[in-house]
Amino acid sequence: MSVTREDMAGCSVHLTGDETAVEILDQRALPNVTDYLRLETAEEFYEAIRTLAVRGAPAIGICAGYAMYVLALRSGAADSEALLAKLEKDGDYLISSRPTAVNLAWAVRRMLEKARTMRGAAPEAVIAALKEESLAIHAEDIEMCTRISEYGLSLVKPGDGILTHCNAGPLATSKYGTAIGPVLLGKERGIDFKVFSDETRPLLQGARLTSYELQKAGVDVTLICDNMASIVMKNGWVQACFVGCDRIAANGDFANKIGTSGVAILAKHYGIPFYTLGPSSTIDMDCPTGGDIRIELRDPEEIKSLWYEKPMALPEVKCYNPAFDVTDHSLVTAIVTDRGIVYPPFDENLKKIMG
Ligand code: MRU
């Protein structure tokens, strides 16, 4: 497929028209307010990623790619060595904003690698190459999401019920999304599904983002609380679970939004196929197992007070707020990637597609 600049401009993360900054759709304000933020400095990029104004592993990767270009453009570096040193420092800083999704570090390292291949060139030439690289990251994500959507669509029948957790649609990625991609691609082709969207405590990505995106796209979507997944499955309303991923380890364990592993356990109990869908940029062959994935811990106030008029727990109550959990590969029916559908044994078959 050929990806156009128009396709990229329509995504939740894109370069501004003058190509000197990044514009993101502020996902914190959805679904009530559609607000765009302009990002130019390392601190602004860091804060946007940390506070989830931009979120979802692929979208964070796209943002990080553009960030490295914009920071290079604005560096004022006199030569390529000074530029590289500045980018290495900014890159480390950006990577430290969120530890779990591999796409952030992957995109930063890819941009640094590009800069290293240009050592000795004029800073303007390095900056121009970085712009092309960041656009390539974005275009490739659109292509990958399209292929993932095609593969995912082949796994379900018209009218099937699909349960999803968190948000792995266009907002979190680029065109189509990953876990939501088959539904949106199907919709384009006149194939309808019934989607059950877990609300996804504590940050409500399922309520605020997935049900928003699907409702706007005219998809039959039903929002449920996380603890309702079991009854919906027991009722026979779910024929497949489609979820995204933030990092897939070499053995097929994968990290995704907190609560995902519970969905996988329920799916196994009810005999429902459970798929994770993600681009090859989310597969981390240097990470042997899920036990090696660092899980981000977040502010207790996300649980106690964020969505309420008054706090819903005593201030002194302890909270444990992991943003992600790891789903064991034994619970996964298949991993749907842009390079094909990967079935167990995952350690062998992931190696094959990752070369
Ligand atoms: O904390 P978030 O909202 O960035 O977490 C996002 C998820 O867990 C998504 O499911 C994952 O990034 C896949 S997005 C295609």
Side-chain angles (χ1 to χ4, degrees), residues 27 49 52 54-60 98 101 103 145 165-169 172-173 177-179 203 205 208-209 243-246 255-258 260 277-279 282 296 298 323-324:
Q27 298 193 42
I49 296 171
L52 276 58
V54 53
R55 51 148 295 285
I60 294 172
R98 293 196 82 190
N103 304 60
C145 284
H165 190 77
C166 194
N167 172 259
T173 63
T178 52
L203 291 183
Q205 288 91 336
R208 294 188 303 105
L209 308 173
V243 299
C245 40
D246 288 84
N256 192 50
K257 180 52 53 193
I258 189 72
T260 302
L277 298 86
T282 303
E296 174 187 7
R298 294 186 64 88
F324 302 94

Side-chain angles (χ1 to χ4, degrees), residues 84-333:
L84 188 55
K86 159 99 173 76
L87 288 178
E88 277 169 350
K89 189 163 157 267
D90 286 345
D92 284 346
Y93 175 59
L94 291 182
I95 289 173
S96 71
S97 60
R98 293 196 82 190
T100 304
V102 69
N103 304 60
L104 171 58
W106 170 86
V108 166
R109 291 189 185 125
R110 178 165 160 176
M111 294 297 285
L112 285 174
E113 209 36 55
K114 185 78 206 173
R116 284 188 196 112
T117 63
M118 307 272 304
R119 270 198 154 109
E124 299 72 32
V126 183
I127 292 164
L130 289 175
K131 183 169 94 180
E132 290 313 310
E133 195 69 8
S134 64
L135 289 166
I137 289 174
H138 193 168
E140 286 166 25
D141 194 75
I142 294 177
E143 287 169 351
M144 290 193 287
C145 284
T146 308
R147 285 198 287 272
I148 290 166
S149 306
E150 286 282 5
Y151 285 123
L153 192 53
S154 73
L155 295 168
V156 276
K157 297 187 307 302
D160 274 357
I162 297 172
L163 186 136
T164 191
H165 190 77
C166 194
N167 172 259
L171 284 166
T173 63
S174 50
K175 205 173 169 186
Y176 295 120
T178 52
I180 293 303
V183 174
L184 295 179
L185 188 65
K187 185 82 199 160
E188 262 184 24
R189 296 180 182 170
I191 304 168
D192 289 318
F193 300 102
K194 294 181 174 64
V195 177
F196 292 91
S197 172
D198 280 357
E199 71 173 344
T200 317
R201 283 281 292 156
L203 291 183
L204 307 184
Q205 288 91 336
R208 294 188 303 105
L209 308 173
T210 303
S211 70
Y212 163 87
E213 283 187 315
L214 292 180
Q215 189 72 39
K216 293 269 181 205
V219 171
D220 179 342
V221 57
T222 304
L223 178 63
I224 58 172
C225 297
D226 300 339
N227 53 10
M228 298 168 190
S230 176
I231 192 168
V232 167
M233 290 185 189
K234 190 172 185 179
N235 287 349
W237 296 345
V238 179
Q239 281 65 53
C241 297
F242 281 177
V243 299
C245 40
D246 288 84
R247 189 182 298 247
I248 300 174
N251 71 342
D253 294 349
F254 74 96
N256 192 50
K257 180 52 53 193
I258 189 72
T260 302
S261 68
V263 174
I265 292 165
L266 286 175
K268 180 135 193 151
H269 178 78
Y270 290 110
I272 297 167
F274 177 91
Y275 302 101
T276 184
L277 298 86
S280 38
S281 52
T282 303
I283 301 171
D284 184 357
M285 294 305 281
D286 294 330
C287 177
T289 73
D292 302 295
I293 300 175
R294 195 172 140 212
I295 300 293
E296 174 187 7
L297 293 177
R298 294 186 64 88
D299 186 350
E301 292 312 314
E302 290 179 351
I303 299 178
K304 291 202 270 188
S305 61
L306 182 63
W307 307 110
Y308 306 115
E309 257 177 45
K310 295 179 190 157
M312 285 296 135
L314 291 173
E316 63 271 29
V317 166
K318 269 194 300 182
C319 283
Y320 173 52
N321 186 16
F324 302 94
D325 61 20
V326 170
T327 299
D328 194 87
H329 63 274
S330 62
L331 300 168
V332 179
T333 308

